[in-house]
Amino acid sequence: RVGAPAEELRHVEAALDLWTAVDASARPAGPHAVTLTLRASAAAVHAGELHRAVSLTRSALAGLGQDADLELAARVRYTLAGNLLSVDDLEAAYAHSSEALALIPAEPPSSTWVWAAATHVTTARQVGENETALRVARRALRVAEELEVTDARADLLISLTSLEGHNRATTAGRERLLEARDLARRAGNAPVELRALFNLAIGCFESGDLEECLPWASEGLDRARRAGLLSSPYPREMRYLRLLVRYTLGHWDEVLRESAEEDTGQGPVVEGHALGPGLYVALARGDSGVADRAAALLEGPFDWMARMVAAVVLTDAAALRGDAEDAVRWMRSSVEALTEAGTRPTVTLRLAALALSAVA
């Protein structure tokens, strides 16, 4: 284990290469390759290489033998489910978390079952299976408390915040998230603590408390920096959220300054959809190259947030140059790409408004 996630990933993958090179008859017995591959997938998540993490975890799944230990088999599947969520493959994530939960009996209680359940709660929420998520979460929380699996208890509290009526935009919801943050911190689980901090930040944003959102996002990024996790999913979302709030509040120079710090190495790396607020400012100030930079976000594997940012910029750019036909084309194609499980995203309103301004 080393401080830099990218370096950690290189070391673990080097270990895997060495293992492959060793003659099979000379290898110790046991699931070493699978556990090494799981470790590599975790390092890939920490380094922000999410599709690499999915590939590694699929490799771990393929490496399980028919006589594999059930707990390890479940751990591989719920890890894969979590990684699939991070790349927006929701149905596959739900299928693998269902398999993981089915592999491990709930009795006798075990920490593996608790984590399989916690992951299944998260995937169930994402595919709209809220009744399943609520039922499993309540049962898993009781088991986590009984076994004193503190970080899993924190993770389940975060999920239950959005399932039991007092969501993250309410005072009661934020109190529960604060409890989850403290539990995760006590357990030393930085990824779960970052999840709690992200939900605290975005809860403030959703309730319109923009000034209150900024300290939570900053605390989350500071915690991620100290843990060497700045490239992992929740810090990336908090970086985008902090820039978005500053853009919304009219602190445009701050947005551009933080975005520019990527080139100097003086601040956290701004990449992917986190570039969005900087692109919004540049477009508003007449930068002619913004559309090309936004279109670059559409390259590579599908990324929902990057696609959303590109949609806003490209639709708005077309409207600003008076090209109503192109604005409508971008709006329609983007809504189609961003629609999940038949539900249009709320950004449809913004895109439609931008396109209609050009039509009008």
Side-chain angles (χ1 to χ4, degrees):
R1 182 185 299 273
V2 294
E7 186 180 354
E8 181 181 8
L9 178 58
R10 285 195 297 272
H11 279 294
V12 181
E13 290 191 317
L16 278 169
D17 290 340
L18 285 171
W19 180 268
T20 303
V22 172
D23 185 85
S25 63
R27 296 174 190 163
H32 299 282
V34 172
T35 53
L36 263 179
T37 307
L38 275 184
R39 189 72 204 92
S41 76
V45 171
H46 296 165
E49 297 188 28
L50 305 181
H51 288 276
R52 178 65 178 142
V54 170
S55 176
L56 283 163
T57 322
R58 287 192 187 281
S59 177
L61 182 61
L64 289 170
Q66 291 187 346
D67 58 346
D69 175 78
L70 285 181
E71 290 208 358
L72 178 61
R75 188 155 62 92
V76 169
R77 284 172 171 81
Y78 72 65
T79 300
L80 177 56
N83 290 341
L84 286 166
L85 275 185
S86 70
V87 297
D88 301 313
D89 195 345
L90 308 184
E91 294 295 338
Y94 183 65
H96 284 292
S97 71
S98 299
E99 291 175 5
L101 196 60
L103 278 174
I104 298 293
E107 298 293 340
S110 68
S111 60
T112 302
W113 182 86
V114 169
W115 278 113
T119 305
H120 191 57
V121 169
T122 305
T123 63
R125 285 182 56 242
Q126 292 298 319
V127 298
E129 295 288 344
N130 290 339
E131 289 185 10
T132 296
L134 184 58
R135 173 176 49 79
V136 174
R138 284 173 171 166
R139 182 178 183 182
L141 183 61
R142 291 193 298 270
V143 177
E145 290 171 344
E146 176 187 336
L147 296 178
E148 297 184 347
V149 187
T150 307
D151 46 356
R153 180 182 166 199
D155 194 68
L156 288 159
L157 283 174
I158 298 167
S159 296
L160 280 166
T161 299
S162 60
L163 289 167
E164 290 190 327
H166 298 296
N167 64 39
R168 62 193 179 190
T170 67
T171 300
R174 287 181 212 168
E175 288 176 355
R176 175 173 268 185
L177 291 172
L178 280 170
E179 180 184 359
R181 180 203 61 175
D182 294 342
L183 287 169
R185 182 174 294 173
R186 191 189 317 156
N189 190 320
V192 174
E193 183 181 348
L194 292 172
R195 185 186 178 206
L197 288 166
F198 167 74
N199 277 274
L200 282 163
I202 202 169
C204 293
F205 180 79
E206 290 168 347
S207 63
D209 299 325
L210 300 188
E211 294 285 2
E212 190 177 344
C213 170
L214 290 172
W216 288 122
S218 295
E219 180 181 333
L221 289 171
D222 181 62
R223 178 70 183 95
R225 185 180 296 106
R226 287 184 280 112
L229 296 174
L230 274 175
S231 296
S232 60
Y234 283 114
R236 292 171 69 186
E237 298 304 321
M238 283 187 275
R239 192 175 307 131
Y240 169 73
L241 182 60
R242 186 168 70 175
L243 287 169
L244 182 63
V245 169
R246 287 175 175 167
Y247 165 77
T248 307
L249 291 171
H251 303 163
W252 287 12
D253 289 337
E254 289 182 26
V255 171
L256 294 180
R257 184 164 53 251
E258 183 169 330
S259 299
E261 284 175 351
E262 175 187 5
D263 297 327
T264 64
Q266 295 176 1
V269 175
V270 180
E271 58 186 353
H273 66 270
L275 292 167
L279 295 176
Y280 303 155
V281 172
L283 181 64
R285 291 180 170 177
D287 186 335
S288 59
V290 171
D292 289 338
R293 299 204 295 278
L297 295 175
L298 302 177
E299 299 172 0
F302 180 80
D303 182 313
W304 197 96
M305 288 294 293
R307 173 77 62 156
M308 183 201 73
V309 167
V312 170
V313 174
L314 292 168
T315 305
D316 198 11
L320 288 172
R321 65 175 181 267
D323 190 339
E325 184 176 337
D326 202 35
V328 170
R329 180 177 67 83
W330 276 116
M331 183 272 291
R332 286 178 171 165
S333 64
S334 299
V335 169
E336 181 179 354
L338 294 170
T339 296
E340 296 177 313
T343 302
R344 287 181 176 174
T346 54
V347 75
T348 301
L349 296 173
R350 183 174 182 181
L351 294 172
L354 293 172
L356 286 171
S357 69
V359 172

